[in-house]
Amino acid sequence: MSAGSVAVVVTEEIGLPSWDLYELSIPCTVFGKAQSDLADPWYELMLCGTGAGVGERPEDAGPGLVLRTGHGLDDLVGADTVIVPSVPDPCVEEGRPLPRELIRALRRAYDAGARMVSLCTGAFALAEAGLLDGRRATAHWLHTAQLAERYPKVRVDDSVLYVDDGDVLTSAGLTAGLDLCLHLVRRDLGAHVANQLARRMVVPAHRPGGQAQFIDLSVPTTDDDALAPVLDWARSRLDRPLTVRDLARRAAMSPRTFYRRVQEATGTTPLQWLLTQRLGRAQALLESTDLPIEKIGELSGLGTANNLRHHFLRHIGVSPSEYRRAFPRTVPVPVPGTGAGAGSG
């Protein structure tokens, strides 16, 4: 079983700080290390370097890592898939030009029929090569505004994990790059192989590309001794009706004072804080149990299945069912606040 060759671009230019090694490690792991013990590896992995990345370390390369690769940019042409993990920070933040030989090599690889993929700021290289013109694409949400401003022909979507546009695919940063690489395996070799690989890597097998990049379900910690007990009390009763007046009475405050104190401590309103906690409870139940959606709505305090779907689509970007599919279970997991083990795998 083979899915062809994967060429990963390693960009290291003298005078430019290194790119993020995390993004580079993702395709190396998915298409290389994770299958290294197989008798018949699924992919042939090549690291293709530019500039100081090929050969010996130059004297003026400065501190940090310089990677030596076994292939140059000419080897991008003929690869089945080309991945640009990221580009050096100054090329994004300061607009420093990307190596022209890299841009030409990307264009030639695409013209030769390669599937083009970017992780995080690698989208800037594909955009510079004109490969994203007229296409929907994404990058890490911290950089999407710069991408849209610099390349107005690109339809930048800053809200998704990754975009599959057929022969050109882009992802947000960090773990979204892993999601996209596993999506490629799923496309090439099917769900069974992708699930096997994800299990080896101890990660969710599949997160849909349309899931939101940034979901702020956290609550800042607080040193407010009067608030901490009532917030803990509310978390243990998320499946019950709760009002600001209920919480204020529990805290021995007026509703107005309670509202102000919660806003100061958490940065949000009491009702928004409750919604955040309920969404977090629903996520935990979806990840760890097989309870029906209707029951999860009840236990999280979000009400009906329709109401749960509404809040998930609005705040998380996918339906509860899609979210659940990313977390296959093999054993029952106890869920805090619901009594005992809330389901079976």
Side-chain angles (χ1 to χ4, degrees), residues 8-252:
V8 180
V9 175
V10 180
T11 56
E12 176 74 14
E13 290 296 294
I14 297 173
L16 291 180
S18 260
W19 68 109
D20 191 333
L21 290 175
Y22 181 84
E23 265 85 19
L24 176 62
S25 72
I26 290 170
C28 291
T29 300
V30 171
F31 302 107
K33 183 175 176 56
Q35 49 162 333
S36 60
D37 61 338
L38 298 177
D40 182 20
W42 302 317
Y43 294 91
E44 175 194 353
L45 178 68
M46 301 184 293
L47 297 183
C48 301
T50 71
V54 182
E56 297 297 326
R57 180 185 182 91
E59 294 180 2
D60 54 351
L65 293 173
V66 172
L67 300 184
R68 289 182 294 173
T69 67
H71 302 272
L73 292 178
D74 288 344
D75 293 306
L76 296 182
V77 179
D80 296 295
T81 300
V82 172
I83 300 178
V84 186
S86 60
V87 299
D89 288 344
C91 297
V92 176
E93 297 168 3
E94 303 168 17
R96 298 267 289 272
L98 286 160
R100 296 315 304 169
E101 64 269 26
L102 169 62
I103 303 308
R104 286 194 294 268
L106 293 175
R107 186 76 235 185
R108 293 198 336 265
Y110 177 75
D111 290 343
R115 176 175 59 184
M116 309 300 290
V117 180
S118 68
L119 312 182
C120 194
T121 58
F124 284 78
L126 297 190
E128 184 67 24
L131 303 182
L132 301 183
D133 288 357
R135 295 179 184 264
R136 180 167 160 261
T138 194
H140 193 292
W141 60 270
L142 284 172
H143 305 299
T144 48
Q146 292 164 303
L147 181 66
E149 179 181 1
R150 200 169 301 167
Y151 303 101
K153 293 182 180 179
V154 181
R155 295 188 289 117
V156 177
D157 187 341
D158 63 357
S159 66
V160 295
L161 293 177
Y162 56 85
V163 174
D164 181 343
D165 198 33
D167 56 349
V168 178
L169 301 91
T170 56
S171 85
L174 301 174
T175 55
L178 179 55
D179 291 317
L180 177 53
C181 287
L182 288 173
H183 172 72
L184 290 172
V185 175
R186 183 178 292 266
R187 261 184 52 170
D188 294 340
L189 301 170
H192 177 68
V193 172
N195 292 345
Q196 280 186 311
L197 187 59
R199 186 173 183 180
R200 284 182 179 220
M201 299 174 68
V202 198
V203 296
H206 178 59
R207 288 200 295 170
Q211 185 166 325
Q213 277 192 40
F214 179 66
I215 309 161
D216 189 2
L217 294 181
S218 61
V219 176
T221 57
T222 174
D223 295 326
D224 193 326
D225 292 336
L227 279 183
V230 72
L231 296 184
D232 287 341
W233 178 83
R235 286 190 195 98
S236 69
R237 291 163 174 78
L238 293 175
D239 58 331
R240 308 176 194 178
L242 291 171
T243 67
V244 174
R245 186 173 296 276
D246 294 332
L247 299 177
R249 186 183 302 114
R250 182 79 183 179

Side-chain angles (χ1 to χ4, degrees), residues 306-344:
N306 283 339
N307 200 42
L308 177 64
R309 291 187 190 97
H310 167 77
H311 285 296
F312 253 70
L313 288 169
R314 181 177 179 184
H315 296 281
I316 298 177
V318 295
S319 71
S321 297
E322 287 179 291
Y323 185 85
R324 166 173 269 168
R325 281 195 289 270
F327 298 91
R329 292 164 304 287
T330 56
V331 296
V333 179
V335 180
T338 62
S344 60

